[in-house]
Every structure is written in structure tokens, then in C-alpha cells.
Amino acid sequence: MSSFHVYDTTLRDGAQQEGLNLSVADKLTIAGYLDELGVGFIEGGWPGANPKDTEFFRRAAAGELRLQHAVLAAFGSTRRAHAVAADDPQVRALLDAQAPVVTIVAKSHVRHVHQALRTTLEENLAMVQDTVETLVAEGRRVFVDAEHFFDGYNADPAYAVEVVRAASEAGAEVVALCDTNGGMLPSEVFETVSKVLDATDVGLGIHCHNDTGCAVANSVAAVQAGAMHVQGTVNGYGERTGNADLITVASNVQLKLGREVIDPDRLRNALHLSHAISEVTNIAPYGRQPYVGASAFAHKAGLHASALRVDPDLYQHIDPALVGNSMRTLVSDMAGRASIELKGKELGYDLADRPELLARVVERVKGLEQEGWTFDAADASFELLLVEEVDGARPRYFETESWRCITDSFSDESPALAEATVKLTAAGVRQVATGEGNGPVNALDHALRQALTGTYPDLAGFELIDFRVRILDASQGTDATTRVLLETTDGERIWSTIGVAPNMVHASWIALTDSFTYGLMKRGIEPRSAG
């Protein structure tokens, strides 16, 4: 592992994603997660370029970031044209950051040298050499990001290679070849990296953007060609279409190419850490993300389920546990008895010798899905259905008497506010509670919590994290049936529930009460007498 670099740039390049804004505290938290994941290097940002990154490095140096595995890197640029690196304020800011590694970006495309830097090709080489030598003399390990390298190589291969040589001769440990525009294909990357390796004697790295959808494939192609340093971001964060997803790249190199680049025990935490970082960035996890997505090992069709029951490896390219994931069976109108049996086993119910029960559940699922229900997106609601069929009834934590919502707005300019009233019985006591919110579902959530938290204090830790509405028959306009999906978390697990009804608020109420019921059931809370 020490001879291969897994280099994370989530805190710098990933933070350039549209809508992603990280505080210094966020960056420190994410850096801790990256260290736990087992990456070799964490690029913390550009000290001197903005106050937030400067503060991050100050607090890291002061002891607020204690890395057990990774090495912190500061990012910056070469000195200015016709200046001296030792006197350049930007270079000084990189040294003041006190990071053991400094990564500098250098131009390797002749047009960028002429048009962006407005200098000569000779001066650009001098800028690279002077900056690297100065940083090395100050005791820093130096990596160089050769910006726009592949486009530059296509325009003038001799000059692009000369930039790599200048960095190497000045003392750079690694030169990362950057597909900055993200326009390359794997075959091009493999061929170029191979040629540059033949022409130089420095360790080569790869830094890919995803504008062709090939960032991961291009990164793997570079490794296959001989690159020993790969850069990327967790969850593929980054500007435009993002950077190479570092978890996917590392998993491919380790599990497909057979090169151990991350401690296997750390890789088993990949799903957990990917989702933990998503919580900090406030960007919902992508369900179809390779390896760590919720759908990465989810199987829906009945034919697959029948084969999976015999041997899970028949339809899975790896053991999901290697990255902390698990196989999931989705239940839908395509479900057969094998799907229901597998899903039941996944949830802790042995249905193998209960053919009548299996048949009943299959028919119930198919009937409900004809009405608009979709259990492949609502595992919690399906488990409640299964509990009803297996045990004869689901847990009843309360009995609803009635509920209603009112929405008021006093002018076209003022915001519309909602008020909900819930009447129910819990633990033998009738409760009447009123909640206010910025919408009817929010108001219902507040009212239901107010009515039940005294009886079931665990509800205080439940948080609704996603709310999705879909109109099932658009031809009916505002009279169409509505499907609502809710995601809830208690800080330990996330679950999804569904409600379907002609009235959107009614559908939301079904999903909301299912969510509370499921959450209490999974925490082992016994229902108190409803009355």
C-alpha cells in the first residue's frame, strides 16, 4: 500500500461542486472520516487563496485534526511569472500551512501557458522548477498536478513531457496527469500514460473529471498503464459532472486488479463512511452509486431471486460485505415466491416452508402495486405488511380518532402556514394535539409527535430526511392518485415508507404513521395499551 497513493481531494476539488458549501468544522469532520476510510493523502484546500482554507490548516496544525493513517496535503500553484518562488506570498502560504505534502498545479498545455499565464514556454518550465525546488528545500514532499495534461499532450506532446521532466528533476515525488476537461476515453488515457512512463522516470499519477462519464474507467486505465498515484473525491463530488469517485476507483483497483491499496478492514467501512460524508455535505447518497449505493446489490426480478436463493454469487460481482454493503431483495409486481422468501429471510422471517403464506403475500403485493404502491422503494412498509401476514396484525402504538389540516395565507406576499390537529388514544389516554408547520405534512408531523412523545420518548430522535410526491395518473390532473415516499432516520438506521391515496395529505399521513410505527418496532418498543 505504501508504494501506491490513494489521494483524496474532496475538501478542495470536490468542494467546487455546485451547491456544496463546507464550513471549516465540516472540513475537519470529513477529513476525520477520510482518515478512517484509509486514504493515503487528504488534500485540505488552498491556503492563502481563501480564508476558510487558511483557517482549516491553522486549526489542523493546532491539533484539531489528528490523522492516524493519512497525510495532509496543501494545494497551491507555481510561483508567478518572472518572480522568485522563495519571495512569492502564495508559496509562503503553502509553507505556513505546515502540511507535510504540498501539491502544486502547473500548466502543461502550450495554449494555457500563452493565453492563461501570458508567459513563455521557457518561463513556465522555470516556474515549475523554482517552485518545486523551494518547497523541497523547506522539507516538503512535493506532488505536481499537470493541469490539462492530456489535451496538452495531444497539442504538443514534447512540451507536455518536458513539464513532467522539469518537475521530476526539481525533486517532485509524483506528477499527476490531469484530464481537467474530463474529455478523455480509457484507451487514450492508457496510451498516453504508457508513453509518458517510457519517456520519464518520475512516479505518475492520474486526476480525472467525469465529463464523458469515464472518470473511474480512465483512472483505472491509468493504473493499468503504470500510474502509482490516483486522485479522486468521495462520492464523485466536483464541479460540472464531478471527479472520479475515489471509493469506486479504489475498490476496482483492489477487488478487480488485485492490488491492496486500502486496508481491507477499512474498506469494509466504505458504505458507512460514504453516507457519513453525505450527511456532512447535506447531499443525499446516490442509490445507484457503485459498491456503496443502496441499490448496488439490490435484486428485483423474480428470475434473479430464484437464482440468488441457490447461490448469491450468481448475480453479484463481489461479496457486498467487502465494502460494507449487503444484498437486498426488492419486492414489486415482478415478485415471485422466491423474491418474497428471500426478502423475508433478509428481514428475519423464515418463510421457506409456508407456501400458503408466500402465495398470499405475493398476491397482496401485486394487488397493491396495481393501485400505485411500490414496495421496492419502501422496505419499511413492506416489512409492516409482512408482519401483518405472519403475526396476524402489526404493532398498534396508538388508535387514530381523526386528523385535519388547515392552510392559511393572509396575502399573496405572505407565506402560507399550515396547522394540523390530531386526535388519538395512546396508553389508554385520549390525546388532542395541534402542530404548526410550513406545510400540511410538516404540521401533521409536529402534531403527531406532540401527541405521542410523552408515551413514546424515542420519537424525539426520529427525523424526516426526505419527502417525495408523485402523481400516478397525470391525465387526471389535480384529481389524480398521489404516491408519497418518506425517508426517516433515528441516527442509526434509515427507513422508507409509502402512502397512496387520492388526497396528497392523506397519502402523507399513511406514510408518516407507518414511519413512526416501524421506527418504534425496530427499536424494540412494546406498544402500550391503545385504549
Side-chain angles (χ1 to χ4, degrees):
M1 289 186 287
S2 61
S3 64
F4 189 96
H5 297 173
V6 177
Y7 183 105
D8 182 273
T9 181
T10 301
L11 301 181
R12 201 272 307 174
D13 219 7
Q16 297 184 47
Q17 176 165 313
E18 184 176 4
L20 198 163
N21 295 290
L22 300 176
S23 67
V24 176
D26 291 337
K27 288 166 70 81
L28 289 167
T29 299
I30 291 172
Y33 287 139
L34 294 171
D35 186 50
E36 190 177 343
L37 177 61
V39 303
F41 300 88
I42 298 171
E43 190 174 84
W46 190 329
N50 67 73
K52 190 183 297 183
D53 285 358
T54 302
E55 177 68 6
F56 168 82
F57 283 100
R58 186 195 68 77
R59 291 172 63 174
E64 291 191 46
L65 180 62
R66 299 185 181 276
L67 300 176
Q68 302 299 314
H69 177 81
V71 177
L72 190 61
F75 179 88
S77 67
T78 58
R79 66 156 171 84
R80 293 168 296 169
H82 307 294
V84 177
D87 300 329
D88 190 296
Q90 156 62 26
V91 177
R92 177 50 51 188
L94 290 170
L95 292 169
D96 290 343
Q98 300 182 51
V101 173
V102 174
T103 299
I104 60 169
V105 61
K107 299 294 185 184
S108 55
H109 191 316
V110 293
R111 286 180 56 198
H112 282 265
V113 173
H114 291 313
Q115 298 177 19
L117 294 182
R118 297 182 180 276
T119 192
T120 65
L121 300 182
E122 293 75 14
E123 175 62 12
N124 180 57
L125 293 174
M127 292 160 63
V128 173
Q129 185 169 2
D130 185 19
T131 307
V132 173
E133 287 177 345
T134 299
L135 293 169
V136 171
E138 292 284 346
R140 303 299 190 270
R141 299 172 65 183
V142 179
F143 301 159
V144 173
D145 281 359
E147 189 181 40
H148 295 279
F149 183 84
F150 292 92
D151 294 316
Y153 186 88
N154 288 340
D156 188 333
Y159 185 77
V161 170
E162 195 59 34
V163 172
V164 176
R165 286 202 189 101
S168 173
E169 291 169 2
E173 184 177 330
V174 173
V175 178
L177 310 183
C178 301
D179 182 15
T180 310
N181 289 339
M184 295 296 110
L185 297 175
S187 59
E188 298 173 280
V189 170
F190 183 92
E191 182 179 1
T192 300
V193 172
S194 299
K195 289 180 178 178
V196 176
L197 274 171
D198 289 340
T200 63
D201 58 1
V202 67
L204 290 187
I206 186 69
H207 177 113
C208 293
H209 288 253
N210 199 39
D211 297 72
T212 60
C214 292
V216 169
N218 287 341
S219 299
V220 173
V223 173
Q224 290 177 308
M228 47 70 65
H229 169 112
V230 63
Q231 298 187 8
T233 62
V234 167
N235 301 330
Y237 297 140
E239 65 180 335
R240 305 189 311 278
T241 58
N243 289 41
D245 184 337
L246 196 62
I247 291 177
T248 305
V249 173
S251 297
N252 281 339
V253 172
Q254 183 144 323
L255 303 176
K256 300 301 180 179
L257 301 185
R259 300 182 61 177
E260 188 172 305
V261 297
I262 288 181
D263 185 296
D265 288 336
R266 293 179 182 268
L267 191 61
R268 290 187 187 96
N269 285 324
L271 181 145
H272 164 69
L273 294 168
S274 168
H275 288 194
I277 291 171
S278 292
E279 288 295 316
V280 180
T281 62
N282 199 30
I283 295 175
Y286 178 45
R288 294 172 65 191
Q289 185 176 353
Y291 290 103
V292 297
S295 300
F297 301 95
H299 305 275
K300 184 172 183 176
L303 179 62
H304 283 207
S306 297
L308 286 166
R309 186 173 55 179
V310 177
D311 183 355
D313 290 339
L314 290 173
Y315 279 95
Q316 296 185 157
H317 67 106
I318 65 160
D319 177 359
L322 294 174
V323 290
N325 212 333
S326 59
M327 186 186 79
R328 293 171 56 232
T329 306
L330 303 180
V331 175
S332 73
D333 57 356
M334 285 190 271
R337 295 189 183 191
S339 294
I340 300 297
E341 182 182 335
L342 276 172
K343 188 65 179 178
K345 184 177 181 180
E346 180 185 317
L347 298 174
Y349 298 91
D350 185 1
L351 308 178
D353 297 323
R354 305 185 68 177
E356 293 183 1
L357 174 62
L358 282 171
R360 193 165 67 243
V361 174
V362 168
E363 290 308 308
R364 187 173 174 188
V365 166
K366 291 185 176 182
L368 287 170
E369 292 230 355
Q370 284 187 328
E371 298 173 14
W373 297 72
T374 175
F375 292 103
D376 61 351
D379 277 359
S381 289
F382 174 75
E383 186 166 351
L384 290 174
L385 181 152
L386 192 59
V387 168
E388 287 181 10
E389 294 295 339
V390 172
D391 297 337
R394 67 172 63 190
R396 301 191 68 85
Y397 292 95
F398 58 92
E399 293 287 348
T400 302
E401 180 181 324
S402 66
W403 57 267
R404 67 176 181 177
C405 288
I406 301 171
T407 302
D408 286 322
S409 180
F410 297 100
S411 71
D412 290 341
E413 290 76 25
S414 65
L417 298 176
E419 178 183 293
T421 300
V422 171
K423 298 179 183 179
L424 55 80
T425 300
V429 179
R430 185 173 184 265
Q431 302 280 357
V432 179
T434 300
E436 294 179 327
N438 56 16
V441 180
N442 187 224
L444 279 172
D445 180 33
H446 288 167
L448 193 56
R449 288 172 187 271
Q450 185 177 337
L452 291 174
T453 302
T455 307
Y456 304 108
D458 291 65
L459 289 173
F462 292 6
E463 179 186 359
L464 301 183
I465 57 175
D466 198 11
F467 173 78
R468 286 168 283 168
V469 179
R470 181 176 177 186
I471 304 302
L472 297 181
D473 186 356
S475 64
Q476 298 297 315
T478 56
D479 193 35
T481 297
T482 305
R483 175 196 295 154
V484 168
L485 286 165
L486 289 183
E487 270 194 5
T488 309
T489 183
D490 61 1
E492 298 177 6
R493 61 173 68 85
I494 297 174
W495 61 90
S496 299
T497 52
I498 185 174
V500 175
N503 183 297
M504 186 273 287
V505 182
H506 186 196
S508 301
W509 172 260
I510 295 170
L512 184 63
T513 54
D514 268 13
S515 174
F516 283 21
T517 298
Y518 178 85
L520 292 170
M521 180 183 74
K522 297 304 285 185
R523 291 179 74 86
I525 306 299
E526 291 294 328
R528 299 183 63 184
S529 175

